[in-house]
């Protein structure tokens, strides 16, 4: 099966499948967040704790090169652990993940105020996006998409099932939920990408249960504020319903202004 990264000893080499939407030579955000999440998942499995929050700071663009992760346990508590994973390009730190893990409880209380959750259409009932949308990035070409609300090629809120069909790291199980979260701003894009660029220099995920299965539903919307600032919020669901909330700080820039700064 196609892989986004290939291991070379303790390092990981990005393949062309990792290319993002702004340049085929630069990593898709999903690739960087997924690589950092591996270490979090490993510690969670070893400790018996569950992942409750993942916060990613994406500091620098990353090319298709060799990477390594550096992991540090910041707090090793009886009920909560805090873990930090740094993604390194040589000696340059290009991103960081801070994870909160908590000890599982035997049961959860019943919420008497919870409203019945709406039943979403299954991925089999959705429709794929137009072919040209699937070519937005090399990474995205390895993602199966089934839209149940809205459209990826048109501005506005949308809901889409996604499934990564490539291995994140060659020889390892698939990681689905985190790679899907990075697409929230793309699912809920509100501008014409021929006129604007938009980046999310960070992503935060809050889990209230572990996801199940391969298909992840992203229901996302974006709001715009002043001075190019915006916020994308999304709910991640699997076939059993919601399991996480996502927030992304957005930064918009008109392409003419960007070109003027570069000249």
């Amino acid at each position: 099966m196609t892989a986004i990264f290939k291991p070379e000893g303790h390092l990981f080499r990005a393949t062309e499948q990792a290319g993002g939407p702004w340049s085929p030579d630069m990593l898709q955000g999903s690739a960087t967040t997924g690589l950092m999440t591996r270490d979090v998942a490993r510690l969670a499995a070893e400790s018996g704790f569950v992942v409750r929050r993942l916060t990613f700071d994406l500091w620098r663009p990353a090319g298709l090169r060799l990477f390594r992760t550096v992991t540090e346990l910041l707090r090793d508590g009886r009920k909560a652990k805090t873990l930090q994973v740094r993604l390194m390009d040589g000696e340059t730190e290009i991103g960081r993940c801070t994870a909160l893990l908590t000890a599982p409880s035997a049961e959860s209380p019943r919420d008497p105020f919870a409203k019945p959750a709406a039943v979403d259409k299954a991925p089999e009932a959705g429709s794929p996006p137009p072919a040209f949308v699937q070519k937005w990035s090399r990474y995205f070409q390895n993602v199966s998409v089934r839209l149940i609300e809205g459209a990826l090629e048109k501005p506005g809120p949308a809901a889409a099932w996604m499934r990564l069909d490539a291995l994140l790291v060659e020889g390892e199980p698939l990681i689905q939920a985190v790679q899907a979260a990075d697409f929230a701003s793309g699912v809920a894009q509100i501008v014409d990408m021929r006129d604007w660029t938009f980046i999310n220099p960070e992503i935060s995920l809050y889990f209230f249960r572990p996801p199940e299965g391969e298909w992840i539903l992203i229901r996302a919307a974006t709001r715009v504020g002043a001075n190019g600032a915006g916020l994308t919020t999304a709910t991640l669901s699997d076939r059993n319903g919601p399991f996480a909330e996502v927030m992304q700080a957005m930064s918009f820039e008109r392409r003419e202004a960007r070109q003027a700064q570069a000249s």
Side-chain angles (χ1 to χ4, degrees):
M1 181 182 283
T2 302
I4 309 301
F5 294 97
K6 292 189 175 182
E8 294 187 7
H10 296 295
L11 304 178
F12 303 91
R13 183 175 297 280
T15 70
E16 64 175 8
Q17 310 299 326
W22 307 115
S23 169
D25 299 323
M26 307 303 290
L27 264 64
Q28 175 98 28
S30 299
T32 58
T33 57
L35 196 57
M36 287 186 276
T37 302
R38 292 174 62 260
D39 289 9
V40 178
R42 175 181 52 79
L43 179 65
E46 292 174 353
S47 64
F49 278 45
V50 292
V51 179
R52 295 295 310 282
R53 174 181 54 80
L54 295 172
T55 298
F56 300 93
D57 289 301
L58 309 177
W59 290 334
R60 294 176 178 85
L64 303 185
R65 295 190 290 273
L66 274 171
F67 300 94
R68 62 186 173 94
T69 57
V70 178
T71 303
E72 180 182 2
L73 188 60
L74 301 179
R75 176 175 182 263
D76 189 9
R78 186 170 57 87
K79 293 186 177 181
K81 302 179 188 292
T82 303
L83 176 69
Q84 174 181 276
V85 183
R86 301 160 61 207
L87 185 61
M88 308 296 294
D89 179 358
E91 296 304 313
T92 301
E93 185 174 0
I94 61 172
R96 183 177 296 190
C97 170
T98 305
L100 173 68
L101 284 65
T102 61
S105 176
E107 60 179 337
S108 295
R110 185 182 68 84
D111 181 0
F113 306 104
K115 297 179 180 179
V119 178
D120 288 304
K121 294 179 181 177
E124 293 78 10
S127 57
F132 74 89
V133 171
Q134 206 75 51
K135 296 179 181 179
W136 277 349
S137 76
R138 190 68 188 84
Y139 186 102
F140 199 42
Q141 291 177 41
N142 291 304
V143 178
S144 291
V145 182
R146 296 294 181 269
L147 279 148
I148 60 173
E149 291 179 20
L152 298 189
E153 73 277 14
K154 297 177 182 179
W161 287 95
M162 293 191 181
R163 181 187 67 197
L164 179 62
D165 296 325
L167 296 174
L168 180 71
V169 175
E170 189 175 64
E172 295 186 1
L174 286 166
I175 295 177
Q176 296 288 358
V178 171
Q179 71 84 25
D182 183 62
F183 287 112
S185 56
V187 168
Q189 58 91 7
I190 59 171
V191 296
D192 189 326
M193 291 195 293
R194 294 170 295 184
D195 300 324
W196 294 85
T197 62
F198 55 92
I199 62 170
N200 54 289
E202 65 85 41
I203 308 172
S204 292
L205 294 88
Y206 295 85
F207 293 85
F208 39 92
R209 68 170 176 84
E212 299 178 17
E214 294 183 335
W215 285 97
I216 304 297
L217 176 64
I218 308 170
R219 185 179 296 279
T222 296
R223 291 181 289 175
V224 174
N227 305 113
L231 178 68
T232 294
T233 57
T235 298
L236 299 185
S237 303
D238 56 23
R239 291 178 184 270
N240 296 319
F243 64 82
E245 297 290 332
V246 179
M247 298 186 74
Q248 294 177 316
M250 301 298 299
S251 181
F252 294 89
E253 187 174 19
R254 190 177 289 277
R255 286 187 179 274
E256 298 155 354
R258 190 173 187 179
Q259 290 166 0
Q261 292 173 2
S263 60

